[in-house]
Amino acid sequence: MPGIEDLIKQKKFKNDYQKGMISLLYVVNQINDHQAEFFKPHKLSKQQYNVLRILIGQFPHACNINTIKKRMLDKNSDVSRIVNRLCKTNLITVTICKKDRRAVDIIINNNGIKVLNTIDEDIEKIEKPLMALDDKEINHLNGLLEKIIIKLNKKK
């Protein structure tokens, strides 16, 4: 099996941290491509799926744009645009907030719940890239990623 050196045609790295960062970026991009293919038959982007998951977590209560934005995995997502698309495809319902008429209440509807249920039947396919690891390895990876997440969030 080819290593990162072969895949990107780079014989040497400045140090192990550079190799680790490049390897991590490579894996993230490969997983993003895998997820895009997975969601394509459902006519969803991974960001739209993320919003639907956030809304199902709030269900039966409504959510607002700011709450969704805070919980998004991709912090650079245009949440308003994603919400508009999900509303147009009739997966969510958007109404003017009774408490603040400048805001909107967003709730997943029955169509959105059905789509999530359909996706959940096949969700193991999205985890397939990580299935290369055994239980001990995935727990180790999760611990390492948690350490990086904590370090990154201390800066904020």
Side-chain angles (χ1 to χ4, degrees), residues 62-78:
C63 214
N64 62 40
I65 294 286
N66 287 335
T67 301
I68 294 170
K69 193 171 224 160
K70 286 178 192 168
R71 295 182 185 175
M72 288 288 292
L73 295 175
D74 181 355
K75 301 295 183 193
N76 295 321
S77 296
D78 184 346

Side-chain angles (χ1 to χ4, degrees), residues 4-147:
I4 190 68
E5 295 88 352
D6 298 323
L7 292 167
I8 66 168
K9 309 294 184 225
Q10 182 170 336
K11 292 181 181 167
K12 193 173 179 190
F13 295 95
K14 181 178 165 186
N15 55 43
D16 286 338
Y17 292 101
Q18 182 186 50
K19 180 179 179 179
M21 183 59 72
I22 290 171
S23 296
L24 191 56
L25 291 171
Y26 182 87
V27 169
V28 166
N29 285 316
Q30 292 292 304
I31 289 173
N32 281 337
D33 292 346
H34 174 74
Q35 288 180 343
E37 285 300 311
F38 175 82
F39 289 119
K40 198 182 286 185
H42 303 286
K43 297 183 174 97
L44 287 178
S45 68
K46 62 185 182 156
Q47 292 86 357
Q48 289 170 324
Y49 174 73
N50 189 195
V51 169
L52 290 175
R53 296 295 314 162
I54 292 165
L55 294 174
I56 197 77
Q58 287 287 123
F59 191 77
H61 304 289
C63 214
N64 62 40
I65 294 286
N66 287 335
T67 301
I68 294 170
K69 193 171 224 160
K70 286 178 192 168
R71 295 182 185 175
M72 288 288 292
L73 295 175
D74 181 355
K75 301 295 183 193
N76 295 321
S77 296
D78 184 346
V79 177
S80 297
R81 196 180 88 241
I82 294 168
V83 165
N84 287 338
R85 284 190 181 159
L86 290 170
C87 191
K88 284 180 184 175
T89 56
N90 195 27
L91 298 177
I92 64 172
T93 304
V94 177
T95 56
I96 295 173
C97 179
K98 292 174 184 168
K99 295 176 186 171
D100 180 356
R101 305 209 32 88
R102 295 170 293 172
V104 293
D105 286 331
I106 306 158
I107 192 164
I108 191 168
N109 62 29
N110 287 335
N111 292 331
I113 292 170
K114 285 178 189 172
V115 167
L116 283 181
N117 287 338
T118 301
I119 290 171
D120 282 348
E121 292 172 9
D122 261 352
I123 201 67
E124 311 84 44
K125 288 180 182 175
I126 207 161
E127 299 164 355
K128 191 175 180 181
L130 295 180
M131 299 289 181
L133 306 175
D134 63 30
D135 289 347
K136 185 178 177 184
E137 290 168 328
I138 193 65
N139 287 326
H140 186 66
L141 175 63
N142 286 333
L144 294 172
L145 293 173
E146 187 72 23
K147 192 172 181 178

